[in-house]
Amino acid sequence: MAHQEIVLAHGSGGTMSRQLVEEIIVREFANPHLEVLHDGATFSVNGTRLAFSTDSYVINPIFFPGGDIGSLAVHGTVNDLAMCGAKPLYLSVGFILEEGLPQADFRRIVRSMRDAAAAAGVALVTGDTKVVDRGKVDKIFISTSGIGAMREGVEIDPRRARPGDRIIVSGTIADHGIAILSVREGLEFETVIASDSAALNGLVDAIFSATRDVRVLRDPTRGGLASALCEIAGSSGQGIQLEETSIPVREDVQAACEMLGLDPLHVANEGKLVAFVPEADAPAVLEAMRAHPLGRDASIIGEVTAEHPGMVFMQTRVGGSRIVDMLAGEQLPRIC
Amino acid sequence: MAHQEIVLAHGSGGTMSRQLVEEIIVREFANPHLEVLHDGATFSVNGTRLAFSTDSYVINPIFFPGGDIGSLAVHGTVNDLAMCGAKPLYLSVGFILEEGLPQADFRRIVRSMRDAAAAAGVALVTGDTKVVDRGKVDKIFISTSGIGAMREGVEIDPRRARPGDRIIVSGTIADHGIAILSVREGLEFETVIASDSAALNGLVDAIFSATRDVRVLRDPTRGGLASALCEIAGSSGQGIQLEETSIPVREDVQAACEMLGLDPLHVANEGKLVAFVPEADAPAVLEAMRAHPLGRDASIIGEVTAEHPGMVFMQTRVGGSRIVDMLAGEQLPRIC
């Protein structure tokens, strides 16, 4: 590996994250569950199929428009389980607190987790709290893990993408990243841009009510929609063709991205998903998603192709075609 | 609460940890699983009884005699599941890395986790890696969560302690805390004191081979044996009577404790357990433990009493009797 030290880009969700995971973690741990490079693992215990997922949250700032590190930590892990095709049931939480953190802030975060868990229909059942001396951690980091029950007969796997599958995104992209960046950098826009942080398990229920044959689900967080789609193209060995005009982006988010020189395809989301479904099921899935509050702006943004295997291309607004790459380097450290 | 900010003692495993958990976390999350204040939660999914546990590891230094933060993170969560009476099966891992951490250190830690997991017979199946800017986290923090399968007909619960139950400790106490303190403070003893960090699930199998009627299991980590026993006395509403001469302490550890003014009962362990079993089963359990490599020094250290409910008393070496208290304040920050 070129870098002999860990660098911020190793946490970006882009190419360097993938390198680190593949070259150190997957290689050393080497087991069939990890090789899927999915958001979570699935396995059976005494005949019961389960999904299991974990995430650590290091977002800065800890309070932001649309949420805080607590609600984010619940939503993120609920979503990882939902993206496995599971029904999220139980969460654990590990707090790492900095000496000197105001107890009022901690209480506010705990309440926010409680409310987010209640809204998502999951129970926070076990936890751990560590305190670290001042200056050795930044305010509060949270790790959440979750257990979900797998749906019968459902198999979500990036390797299942097939030519002709339609790719549906559940709503506007890049809201979370721009919301965080606005607060962090003190940027002022005409409107307050709020994070889209939300639990997607209800929306996934709606998708499964329309079809059982969902091929791939993914929530495009760190690294954005582009990185998620590039990973799926890579895992499946299929091509992906996108239509830029079909990808929903809020006007103010688009304007902020242009001002900041960011590609909204690379900016993080925390309450959006992409679903790959067979062409025949796409209209019903789209309708079911649009009927759900978190899927009102759902849109078919492209399809899986046999051409250009492993790569993502996009028909641009102005009529050209361009390659969509994974995020390289680090765009927004500590976005989640 | 007296302190309006989080202080180090909130992470001690002693009285202030308990206060923080009870006053903020249990109160806000309020659900029946959390109220047990156990090392993990147990519940059923589609008829399969599971245990679920999580811990974050912030130990300093990250490499120490007898282990490192990686092996510790595996052992700790395996042990929490084993203390629920479960067979540990699957682990997740969340890494929080500091920008600038040598990749060689990270690889060494990952390998150590792999080896610890293999030795304990558990699979590391899913994970997450975050990178935080230099100075915002100290080298590496690790969170592990685990899932275990509950044994049929077994119910481990601190509230099940009954007068007459024998209390067995699996070996010498205070090794881990003294090992860490030695390295951190550059103390030199005649011998190298190594951490006892180890996975206890095999030893728990041995205990269950002797009796199914295990009342309480606990690994006395942060806060030491004293804090664990005080918690059990508090939860069960029973008294505990200890015999100081029966509590195994290595000579060099005892000498180090005296030099440092520490009570070995308050010093952390990472590869020891206490078991509460009915008097009639105690000899068989003790024999089974002593036949296991991690239980060679197992010893009956006391019993549960109807007298002085909620309190722990100890017959001292010199013949007197004293109250054993939970750790108050913080003795050794970042011991695990």
Side-chain angles (χ1 to χ4, degrees):
Chain A
M1 210 177 284
H3 295 268
Q4 292 309 305
E5 292 188 343
I6 297 293
V7 297
L8 284 172
H10 284 127
S12 63
T15 49
M16 290 195 57
S17 287
R18 191 171 174 124
Q19 254 176 35
L20 187 77
V21 168
E22 286 183 348
E23 293 185 16
I24 298 193
I25 301 177
V26 173
R27 183 174 302 170
E28 301 297 343
F29 287 166
N31 80 51
H33 299 285
L34 267 176
E35 279 160 23
V36 180
L37 282 172
H38 206 289
D39 286 321
T42 59
F43 46 76
S44 290
V45 177
N46 296 336
T48 297
R49 259 184 99 205
L50 300 172
F52 183 30
S53 185
T54 196
D55 255 324
S56 297
Y57 298 86
V58 298
I59 193 164
N60 172 34
I62 56 176
F63 300 105
F64 50 83
D68 58 49
I69 190 170
S71 54
L72 185 70
V74 170
H75 294 154
T77 292
V78 164
N79 293 349
D80 283 348
L81 293 170
M83 296 309 120
C84 296
K87 285 179 174 286
L89 297 173
Y90 297 103
L91 296 190
S92 70
V93 54
F95 295 108
I96 303 176
L97 310 179
E98 185 182 17
E99 181 189 15
L101 178 76
Q103 286 200 20
D105 285 356
F106 183 48
R107 191 181 292 272
R108 182 175 159 197
I109 289 164
V110 167
R111 286 190 177 153
S112 161
M113 295 190 83
R114 175 198 61 193
D115 294 344
V122 297
L124 281 152
V125 293
T126 188
D128 174 56
T129 306
K130 293 292 190 310
V131 182
V132 170
D133 28 328
R134 215 177 283 262
K136 297 298 183 187
V137 66
D138 191 12
K139 298 184 192 75
I140 177 172
F141 294 164
I142 302 179
S143 292
T144 46
S145 298
I147 295 178
M150 288 299 287
R151 288 178 171 81
E152 287 292 326
V154 159
E155 199 195 342
I156 306 293
D157 191 321
R159 293 169 297 197
R160 288 191 65 228
R162 291 284 171 276
D165 284 358
R166 293 302 188 261
I167 302 169
I168 309 178
V169 70
S170 64
T172 56
I173 63 166
D175 300 359
H176 176 74
I178 295 300
I180 299 307
L181 202 62
S182 309
V183 186
R184 208 189 286 170
E185 308 299 333
L187 304 178
E188 303 248 339
F189 302 110
E190 280 179 27
T191 47
V192 172
I193 297 174
S195 167
D196 59 344
S197 180
L200 294 167
N201 50 332
L203 182 61
V204 171
D205 289 342
I207 293 172
F208 278 107
S209 73
T211 179
R212 304 297 283 180
D213 194 14
V214 180
R215 301 269 168 79
V216 188
L217 287 173
R218 188 66 66 94
D219 56 335
T221 55
R222 280 184 291 178
L225 183 61
S227 299
L229 294 177
C230 288
E231 273 197 17
I232 295 166
S235 299
S236 64
Q238 308 289 351
I240 288 178
Q241 180 67 45
L242 301 177
E243 188 72 52
E244 186 172 20
T245 53
S246 304
I247 301 175
V249 187
R250 282 171 52 141
E251 245 177 68
D252 49 4
V253 169
Q254 181 70 49
C257 284
E258 282 167 16
M259 201 179 87
L260 297 161
L262 298 174
D263 182 345
L265 288 171
H266 282 147
V267 178
N269 310 278
E270 290 291 346
K272 297 295 161 16
L273 63 81
V274 273
F276 286 52
V277 296
E279 183 182 359
D281 294 324
V285 170
L286 187 67
E287 190 184 49
M289 287 172 75
R290 285 185 173 163
H292 189 279
L294 294 176
R296 274 193 302 259
D297 300 321
S299 170
I300 297 178
I301 60 170
E303 63 181 286
V304 178
T305 63
E307 292 92 64
H308 51 80
M311 298 181 77
V312 181
F313 275 77
M314 183 165 74
Q315 184 81 12
T316 65
R317 206 174 300 276
V318 294
S321 180
R322 74 166 173 96
I323 292 181
V324 173
D325 277 324
M326 272 197 136
L327 178 63
E330 174 57 300
Q331 188 187 60
L332 299 170
R334 300 180 62 190
I335 198 68
C336 62
Chain B
M1 210 178 284
H3 295 267
Q4 293 308 303
E5 292 186 346
I6 298 295
V7 298
L8 283 172
H10 283 127
S12 64
T15 49
M16 289 195 58
S17 287
R18 192 172 173 120
Q19 255 177 34
L20 186 76
V21 168
E22 287 183 347
E23 293 186 16
I24 298 194
I25 300 176
V26 174
R27 183 174 301 169
E28 300 298 344
F29 287 166
N31 79 53
H33 299 284
L34 267 176
E35 279 160 23
V36 179
L37 281 172
H38 206 288
D39 286 319
T42 59
F43 46 77
S44 291
V45 177
N46 296 336
T48 297
R49 258 183 99 205
L50 300 171
F52 183 30
S53 185
T54 196
D55 255 325
S56 297
Y57 298 86
V58 298
I59 194 165
N60 172 34
I62 57 176
F63 300 106
F64 49 83
D68 59 47
I69 190 171
S71 54
L72 185 71
V74 169
H75 294 155
T77 293
V78 164
N79 292 350
D80 283 348
L81 293 170
M83 297 308 120
C84 296
K87 286 180 172 286
L89 297 174
Y90 297 103
L91 296 190
S92 69
V93 54
F95 294 108
I96 303 176
L97 310 179
E98 185 182 16
E99 181 189 15
L101 178 75
Q103 286 200 21
D105 285 358
F106 184 47
R107 191 181 291 272
R108 183 175 160 196
I109 290 165
V110 167
R111 286 190 177 153
S112 161
M113 296 189 81
R114 174 198 61 192
D115 295 344
V122 297
L124 282 153
V125 292
T126 187
D128 174 56
T129 306
K130 294 293 192 309
V131 182
V132 170
D133 29 326
R134 215 178 281 262
K136 297 298 184 187
V137 66
D138 191 11
K139 296 184 193 75
I140 177 171
F141 293 164
I142 301 179
S143 292
T144 46
S145 298
I147 296 179
M150 289 298 288
R151 287 178 171 79
E152 287 291 326
V154 159
E155 199 194 344
I156 307 293
D157 190 320
R159 293 169 297 197
R160 289 190 66 227
R162 291 285 172 276
D165 283 357
R166 292 303 188 262
I167 303 168
I168 309 178
V169 70
S170 62
T172 57
I173 63 166
D175 300 358
H176 177 74
I178 295 301
I180 299 306
L181 203 61
S182 308
V183 186
R184 208 188 288 169
E185 308 298 334
L187 304 178
E188 304 249 339
F189 302 111
E190 282 178 26
T191 47
V192 172
I193 298 174
S195 167
D196 59 344
S197 180
L200 295 166
N201 50 332
L203 182 61
V204 171
D205 289 342
I207 293 172
F208 279 107
S209 72
T211 180
R212 304 296 284 179
D213 195 14
V214 181
R215 301 270 168 77
V216 187
L217 286 173
R218 188 67 66 94
D219 57 334
T221 56
R222 279 183 292 178
L225 183 61
S227 299
L229 294 177
C230 287
E231 273 198 15
I232 295 166
S235 298
S236 64
Q238 308 288 350
I240 287 178
Q241 180 68 44
L242 300 178
E243 189 71 53
E244 187 172 21
T245 54
S246 304
I247 301 175
V249 186
R250 282 170 53 140
E251 246 178 65
D252 50 2
V253 169
Q254 181 70 50
C257 284
E258 282 167 16
M259 201 180 87
L260 296 162
L262 297 174
D263 182 344
L265 289 171
H266 282 149
V267 179
N269 311 278
E270 290 293 345
K272 297 296 162 12
L273 62 79
V274 273
F276 286 53
V277 296
E279 182 182 359
D281 295 322
V285 170
L286 187 66
E287 191 184 45
M289 287 173 76
R290 285 184 172 164
H292 190 279
L294 294 176
R296 274 192 303 259
D297 301 320
S299 169
I300 296 177
I301 61 170
E303 61 181 287
V304 178
T305 64
E307 293 92 64
H308 51 81
M311 297 180 78
V312 180
F313 274 76
M314 183 165 75
Q315 185 81 12
T316 65
R317 206 174 300 274
V318 295
S321 179
R322 74 166 173 96
I323 293 182
V324 173
D325 275 326
M326 270 197 140
L327 178 63
E330 174 56 299
Q331 188 187 56
L332 299 170
R334 300 181 60 190
I335 197 69
C336 60

